């Protein structure tokens, strides 16, 4: 029943993009997002798009995977396009019918917002497609760790994320099992109004919660028995190190973004 | 009247790179009143087969019929479900109600029975698993011991009075006393109601003692099905599939190796009876 849900869309590979430090990818992703929001020109959108395509090729991620992450966007995209098209009324009128008026400015904005959304989701998907969830949380923790000075719980946050990622498939499997068990006891999950259906979920949710608590308890015990005591004095098995590759990637990306923004100014 | 598996195949995640046949081309019939033991190495497809028989998975190929009802058809599946009682591995994780009685009543209630009938069935089922209604009915299922929880969950399925009771490793993780209680409950239920039992188990001794027929699975295929005597003759075959013979069989073989003329036996009782008989003549 849950077999179609795939979480964490990592595409295993060994490309130069895969091998970049997760911190590099996260920081460059932020720069890329900023660029996508600052660009206000059709040609420059194409330039940013070309950059994203270049990275995709370099990462050797199949287009179908990227397409899959863009697919859920279709409705939002359509909605934003139509909204901008009809609501923004600047420049020459291109089309007029009853109360509908489409202007040149509206058309332009509608296209801009669509490109922005596609580039945004496509670009960030590239990061999650080429970085394992564990590496991603690791990178995030290291990037946020300077905030520890302000008592920001960077390590704890990263640990929570790691544990959540680890247990999502387990929970789905468990939910599937319990659901099957109750189905074979005659549970009817498909008919009735919304209240009846919510009520029918109780026999699945209660055992699921109980087993989650039990699991959390066991995990806490296992971690403590292996002397886990938070971030203090904790060293790492995989130490993140910037390499020349990271410098190159940063230089190329930031250079391109600078060029694009200069061209716009 | 029977559960018929007609060339049943099941593939998880069909079409993905990870897809593999968990069950392939299985032909098997479970007659009314049968006691079928199902053995096989971990990953041989036993649990998948159990779910196919309960109509919880739809076969990728072939058909599953319960008393002539095709589980591939939604309407017929609905009609067939009450006839098949499934006890999953670690069934105690499905308990959810405030009291044991309410939890056991969940299945019968879903069948749409009258309240009096539900209550009568709950009492009977709880009695049968050894959790008397008057003592355990109002207890929270979460306050029970591990073995009692397992029995409460079993009662929840028994109370639906299925014609076919299918159990996936019902004794896993229990202590010897708990195992015995579950086994005797199952045997007692079968004697009382005449329902058929399919029991997946890793314990060769239990299967040897209780099953009338045994099905051996390996890598999703039915390697052999037959009476315990037939199956346990195939020592080399079972070994090659990573299975052991029951302890009485091995003991008999050891005695044979030392020159005692032991007939083929596979239960404790049979071996004990033989040795006693022999002792009298020495
Ligand atoms: N939900 C599932 N998704 C994908 N593969 C599965 C799933 N459940 C079982 N399998 C696979 O199917 C095969 C048979 O599993 P199973 O029926 O659980 O065997 P058994 O109960 O004999 O240990 C195994 O190879 C297992 O990895
Ligand atoms: Mg199993």
């Amino acid at each position: 029943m849950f077999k179609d849900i795939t979480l964490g869309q990592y595409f295993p590979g060994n490309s130069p993009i895969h091998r970049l430090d997760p911190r590099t990818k996260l920081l460059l992703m932020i720069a890329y997002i900023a660029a996508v929001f600052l660009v206000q020109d059709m040609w420059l959108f194409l330039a940013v798009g070309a950059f994203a395509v270049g990275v995709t090729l370099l990462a050797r991620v199949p287009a179908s995977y990227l397409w899959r992450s863009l697919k859920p966007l279709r409705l939002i995209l359509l909605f934003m396009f139509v909204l901008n098209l009809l609501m923004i009324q600047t420049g020459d009128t291109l089309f007029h019918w009853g109360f509908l008026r489409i202007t040149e400015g509206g058309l332009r904005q509608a296209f801009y917002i669509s490109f922005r959304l596609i580039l945004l989701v496509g670009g960030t998907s590239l990061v999650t497609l080429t970085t394992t969830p564990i590496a991603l949380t690791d990178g995030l923790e290291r990037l946020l760790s300077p905030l520890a000075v302000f008592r920001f719980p960077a390590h704890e946050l990263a640990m929570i994320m790691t544990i959540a990622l680890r247990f999502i498939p387990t929970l789905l499997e468990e939910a599937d099992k319990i659901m099957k068990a109750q189905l074979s006891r005659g549970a009817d999950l498909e008919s009735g109004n919304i209240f009846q259906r919510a009520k029918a979920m109780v026999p699945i949710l209660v055992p699921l919660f109980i087993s989650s608590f039990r699991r959390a308890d066991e995990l806490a015990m296992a971690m403590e028995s292996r002397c886990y005591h938070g971030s203090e004095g904790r060293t790492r098995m995989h130490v993140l190190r910037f390499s020349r590759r990271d410098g190159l990637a940063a230089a190329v990306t930031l250079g391109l973004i600078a060029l694009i923004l200069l061209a716009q100014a | 009247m029977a559960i018929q598996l007609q060339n049943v195949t099941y593939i998880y995640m069909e079409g993905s790179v990870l897809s593999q046949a968990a069950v392939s081309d299985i032909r098997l019939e479970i007659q009314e009143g049968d006691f079928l033991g199902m053995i096989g190495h971990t990953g041989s497809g036993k649990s998948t087969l159990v779910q196919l028989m309960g109509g919880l998975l739809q076969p990728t190929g072939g058909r599953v019929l319960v008393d002539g009802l095709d589980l591939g058809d939604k309407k017929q599946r609905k009609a067939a479900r009450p006839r098949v009682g499934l006890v999953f591995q670690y069934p105690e994780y499905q308990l959810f109600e405030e009291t044991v009685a309410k939890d056991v009543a969940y299945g019968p209630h879903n069948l749409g029975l009258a309240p009096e009938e539900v209550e009568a069935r709950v009492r009977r089922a709880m009695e049968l698993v050894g959790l008397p209604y008057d003592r355990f009915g109002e207890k929270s299922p979460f306050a029970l011991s591990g073995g009692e929880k397992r029995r409460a969950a079993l009662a929840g399925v028994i109370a639906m009075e299925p014609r076919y009771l299918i159990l996936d490793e019902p004794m896993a993780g229990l202590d010897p006393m708990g195992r015995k209680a579950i086994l005797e409950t199952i045997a007692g239920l079968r004697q009382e109601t005449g329902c058929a039992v399919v029991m997946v188990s890793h314990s060769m001794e239990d299967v040897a003692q209780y099953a009338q027929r045994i099905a051996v699975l390996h890598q999703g295929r039915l390697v052999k099905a037959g009476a315990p005597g037939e199956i346990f003759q195939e020592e080399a075959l079972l070994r090659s599939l990573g299975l052991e013979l029951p302890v009485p069989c091995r003991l008999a073989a050891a005695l044979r190796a030392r020159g005692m003329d032991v007939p083929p036996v596979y239960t404790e009782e049979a071996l004990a009876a033989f040795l006693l008989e022999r002792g009298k003549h020495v």
Side-chain angles (χ1 to χ4, degrees):
Chain A
M1 265 160 255
F2 288 102
K3 62 177 180 231
D4 300 327
I5 300 177
T6 48
L7 282 144
Q9 41 171 358
Y10 179 62
F11 178 78
N14 197 24
S15 73
I17 305 292
H18 281 83
R19 276 179 286 163
L20 282 179
D21 189 298
R23 290 172 295 175
T24 312
K25 283 190 259 190
L26 283 168
L27 289 174
L28 293 182
M29 183 180 84
I30 295 170
Y32 168 86
I33 292 173
V36 167
F37 273 105
L38 290 174
V39 166
Q40 298 275 4
D41 181 285
M42 201 53 90
W43 288 109
L44 295 180
F45 267 125
L46 286 182
V48 177
F51 169 75
V53 169
V55 175
T56 311
L57 290 178
L58 209 56
R60 292 194 283 270
V61 171
S64 63
Y65 271 73
L66 212 53
W67 173 240
R68 207 181 301 164
S69 59
L70 287 173
K71 232 165 137 189
L73 207 65
R74 281 174 306 185
L75 267 183
I76 303 176
L77 215 54
L78 187 71
F79 179 73
M80 293 300 273
F81 188 88
V82 172
L83 202 70
N84 275 275
L85 192 63
L86 298 179
M87 301 308 279
I88 293 178
Q89 310 266 302
T90 54
D92 302 336
T93 300
L94 299 175
F95 178 80
H96 199 163
W97 183 74
F99 64 94
L100 287 181
R101 200 166 75 121
I102 290 172
T103 62
E104 195 211 320
L107 190 65
R108 181 156 352 109
Q109 278 307 320
F111 270 110
Y112 283 2
I113 199 88
S114 310
F115 282 139
R116 258 191 206 125
L117 271 173
I118 293 173
L119 288 174
L120 206 64
V121 173
T124 47
S125 293
L126 266 181
V127 174
T128 52
L129 277 167
T130 57
T131 322
T132 61
I134 296 296
L136 217 51
T137 45
D138 217 18
L140 208 59
E141 178 182 351
R142 289 298 302 276
L143 286 177
L144 294 175
S145 60
L147 293 176
V149 189
F150 307 109
R151 299 189 158 257
F152 183 81
H155 170 76
E156 285 73 12
L157 224 70
M159 184 56 86
I160 290 170
M161 266 168 73
T162 310
I163 291 173
L165 282 168
R166 157 68 186 76
F167 277 99
I168 285 169
T170 313
L171 267 186
L172 287 176
E173 205 175 289
E174 185 100 7
D176 188 46
K177 232 188 258 170
I178 295 171
M179 200 180 251
K180 279 180 180 159
Q182 307 299 32
L183 271 177
S184 70
R185 289 170 82 191
D188 184 2
L189 307 173
E190 283 162 2
S191 57
N193 61 34
I194 189 156
F195 293 107
Q196 285 164 328
R197 275 195 214 195
K199 205 172 155 227
M201 288 304 283
V202 169
I204 290 154
L205 292 179
V206 171
L208 200 57
F209 271 108
I210 289 169
S211 73
S212 310
F213 284 125
R214 185 172 40 82
R215 255 183 236 291
D217 220 30
E218 280 168 6
L219 181 67
M221 209 109 77
M223 283 168 80
E224 273 190 354
S225 70
R226 289 201 263 162
C227 304
Y228 176 77
H229 55 84
S231 59
E232 229 169 294
R234 189 173 167 83
T235 55
R236 314 195 141 262
M237 184 159 147
H238 300 286
V239 180
L240 292 178
R241 270 204 200 87
F242 287 119
S243 67
R244 198 174 302 154
R245 193 182 301 115
D246 294 287
L248 192 66
V252 171
T253 309
L254 295 178
L256 272 174
I257 290 175
L259 265 181
I260 287 170
L261 294 182
L262 265 179
Q264 179 159 281
Chain B
M1 290 301 177
I3 296 186
Q4 291 163 299
L5 300 164
Q6 300 178 339
N7 303 77
V8 173
T9 297
Y10 188 82
I11 301 174
Y12 283 103
M13 296 187 279
E14 209 183 0
S16 113
V17 272
L18 298 169
S19 82
Q20 49 165 338
V23 158
S24 37
D25 198 30
I26 288 202
R27 255 167 304 162
L28 189 65
E29 232 179 81
I30 294 116
Q31 299 290 344
E32 224 168 348
D34 239 350
F35 197 131
L36 178 76
M38 200 154 28
I39 57 177
H41 204 265
T42 304
S44 57
K46 305 181 299 290
S47 297
T48 307
L49 201 59
V50 162
Q51 291 173 46
L52 284 161
M53 289 196 259
L56 293 168
L57 295 176
Q58 301 314 315
T60 315
R63 289 200 308 169
V64 184
L65 302 179
V66 174
D67 294 343
L69 296 162
D70 187 346
L71 294 188
D73 178 89
K74 206 170 169 186
K75 257 207 186 119
Q76 295 183 47
R77 178 158 74 236
K78 217 166 178 181
R81 271 237 172 98
R83 296 175 197 231
V84 184
L86 273 191
V87 180
F88 282 83
Q89 218 171 339
Y90 300 106
E92 55 272 28
Y93 294 150
Q94 78 197 24
L95 298 170
F96 70 98
E97 274 285 10
E98 294 157 53
T99 69
V100 176
K102 274 193 198 169
D103 204 286
V104 176
Y106 177 68
H109 179 79
N110 284 335
L111 292 180
L113 301 171
E116 304 83 55
E117 172 68 12
V118 171
E119 159 128 14
R121 283 191 180 198
V122 169
R123 277 180 181 277
R124 235 176 311 165
M126 287 184 65
E127 214 65 53
L128 204 89
V129 299
L131 299 175
Y133 186 94
D134 298 319
R135 209 142 67 77
F136 288 91
E138 294 306 310
K139 276 200 182 176
S140 161
F142 305 109
L144 302 179
S145 75
E148 288 168 346
K149 271 187 201 166
R150 178 82 51 98
R151 279 184 275 158
L154 182 58
V157 176
I158 289 176
M160 298 178 75
E161 300 191 351
R163 297 302 304 146
Y164 305 91
L165 182 66
I166 303 179
L167 309 110
D168 195 354
E169 300 189 28
M171 276 93 65
L174 291 184
D175 56 47
M177 290 287 285
R179 300 175 66 90
K180 201 156 183 281
I182 296 281
L183 266 172
E184 307 221 306
T185 300
I186 297 167
L189 177 78
R190 177 159 164 271
Q191 214 153 48
E192 204 170 297
T193 66
C195 71
V197 173
V198 177
M199 185 171 81
V200 175
S201 178
H202 281 297
S203 158
M204 295 296 147
E205 291 76 35
D206 295 342
V207 171
Q209 187 172 357
Y210 287 94
Q212 287 180 326
R213 280 198 313 143
I214 296 178
V216 186
L217 262 66
H218 184 65
Q219 294 184 344
R221 295 188 176 274
L222 183 65
V223 180
K224 202 170 166 62
E230 266 173 76
I231 299 293
F232 292 129
Q233 265 172 18
E234 307 265 1
E235 186 181 349
L237 175 72
L238 292 179
R239 280 263 155 77
S240 73
L241 305 181
L243 299 170
E244 280 281 6
L245 288 178
V247 171
C249 271
R250 279 186 274 161
L251 191 53
L255 290 171
R256 233 171 271 137
R258 284 170 201 205
M260 195 189 273
D261 188 22
V262 190
V265 290
Y266 47 88
T267 62
E268 240 172 82
E269 279 100 55
L271 184 61
F274 165 76
L275 291 176
L276 268 177
E277 194 56 33
R278 203 187 129 90
K280 279 183 202 154
H281 297 298
V282 171

